[in-house]
Amino acid sequence: MKAFFFKRAPAMCLCFCLFLCLNGCGGSVKKYGAAFLGTFDTTVQIIGYEKSKADFDEAASGAQGMIEELHRLFDIYHDYDGISNLKTVNDMAGTAPVRVDDRILELVEFAVDMYSKTDGTVNIALGPVLRIWHDYRSEGVSLPPRELLEEAYGLCDILDVVIDREAGTLFLRKSGMSLDVGACAKGFASGLVAESLPDGYLISAGGNVVVSGAPGDGRETWKIGVQDPRDDEENPIVTLGVYGGAVVTSGDYQRTYTVDGVSYNHIIDPSTLMPAARYRSVSVIGPDSALCDVLSTALFILPADRGGELAEAYGCDVVWILPDMSVEMTEGAREIAT
Ligand code: AMP
Ligand code: MG
């Protein structure tokens, strides 16, 4: 894992949070950037070094097409003509298995496998509970009643998610069940897109950053900023030097609402059915984007000692930002932080 990260930071620093500072570069290649909206509920940004803008545009538009396609497949809110997506699977809960694209099967298989590996903290069958929180957050007035959450939780058993690889189908055994892949779909999709890009590109999708090799201007690393949870996008709280793999952040500032002066975020601890409140944010650094995404959500819920153990088991490093804004890091994260 350490092969992905460098301790030494180049003097010139490209800081990256929800913003990008586009600098010029030497040599025969130039730096290009593109951004688009409309997928995974966030802005997707792509940066690459190419000899010509036409080369970059070709790579970036291929990446955009791919992420749009993955967005349609993993969407739980909208139908699209001619495809069976996760909304179709949810709509058919308790009724019949749905034949789906292999990439849906792969994502769901991966996420179901990670359920026990994350001590049950990341449960993609938590859809009914997450939908209630989503609706109450959209209203922004009150908290969901406990009984409503508990009743919904009765339909969240991961063992009732049936994956039939041979038939290529997905089935939710009970009517009213639903999948929510918010904890892992962006990381999974960004990882696939990064694999399809030439070496030395960076893709960022709302807290998920993946790079396909060191930047093409001769610098050793990309500098990836961990956003200050207090909304200061200009000044990252920590900057990490990476030349491969992913940095994925789960933060309490990403989707939140306030009731009686208390802020409630979007990451729900299945053991309490309430938003997790241990940290302001958790960033996971590692070779695999989908894994970092699942782990960032899990570690946001878990105590730091258990989270650290889990990250180590998967060859990942972690930056935790605590409610008092103090920063804890694993040793590997400290080595690449500035
Ligand atoms: P992330 O920003 O990657 O941590 O993912 C947060 C999103 O994952 C939320 O907006 C929900 O859609 C979903 N989510 C929240 N809590 C959980 C949970 N305990 N297990 C699975 N998915 C969750
Ligand atoms: Mg996640």
Side-chain angles (χ1 to χ4, degrees), residues 122 181-187 208 248-250 267 289-298:
V122 177
V181 291
C184 52
K186 255 189 302 179
N208 286 239
V248 180
T249 300
S250 291
I267 299 174
S289 169
L291 182 69
C292 289
D293 196 0
V294 170
L295 289 180
S296 74
T297 310

